[in-house]
Amino acid sequence: HVQLVESGGGSVQPGGSLNLSCAASGWTTTSFCMGWFRQHPGGEREGLACIDSDGTTRYADSVNGRFTISKGNAINTVSLQMKSLNPEDTAEYYCAATWACGAACIRPSVYSYWGQGTQVTVS
């Protein structure tokens, strides 16, 4: 049974930084694709960044240059380093995982497993 747990959300002032982490338990293969998404109240889930087991990364234009996704030191962990945060970045942030996703990894529809979310507030 795969479970994803996010951590690292919180409040930060505009211009500040936050690091989010996601740990996937129950993952039984070395192949994976993990992504970070966010959702504003009343809005759709927005793809931000993704990384596959080969280390290939992709970013949404809205965060490219400000956010960095990376694999963590522990197996099946992924981090999202966020810099130059602004109030528009305030949202619930989610990580997601699936076995393979290729160039479509920014799309929420390709993911099979989701974390419970962590709130990020910039004000």
Side-chain angles (χ1 to χ4, degrees):
H1 178 63
V2 176
Q3 286 188 316
L4 304 180
V5 178
E6 302 102 334
S7 61
S11 297
V12 65
Q13 293 182 342
S17 302
L18 276 177
N19 292 328
L20 305 182
S21 294
C22 176
S25 61
W27 201 262
T28 59
T29 72
T30 57
S31 175
F32 69 88
C33 180
M34 296 183 75
W36 282 99
F37 300 80
R38 68 185 178 192
Q39 191 165 12
H40 297 97
E44 296 184 352
R45 198 157 292 188
E46 172 191 6
L48 303 175
C50 51
I51 187 168
D52 64 22
S53 47
D54 293 332
T56 300
T57 59
R58 292 178 174 86
Y59 295 92
D61 290 342
S62 60
V63 301
N64 198 11
R66 295 192 300 128
F67 292 8
T68 303
I69 190 171
S70 60
K71 291 189 282 187
N73 293 327
I75 295 175
N76 296 335
T77 62
V78 174
S79 297
L80 184 69
Q81 182 182 22
M82 306 185 294
K83 299 187 295 185
S84 302
L85 289 164
N86 58 65
E88 289 70 35
D89 295 314
T90 296
E92 189 80 6
Y93 283 68
Y94 299 88
C95 73
T98 191
W99 293 274
C101 46
C105 69
I106 288 293
R107 299 179 188 172
S109 60
V110 305
Y111 288 87
S112 302
Y113 302 98
W114 291 85
Q116 80 288 351
T118 185
Q119 177 68 34
V120 171
T121 302
V122 185
S123 65

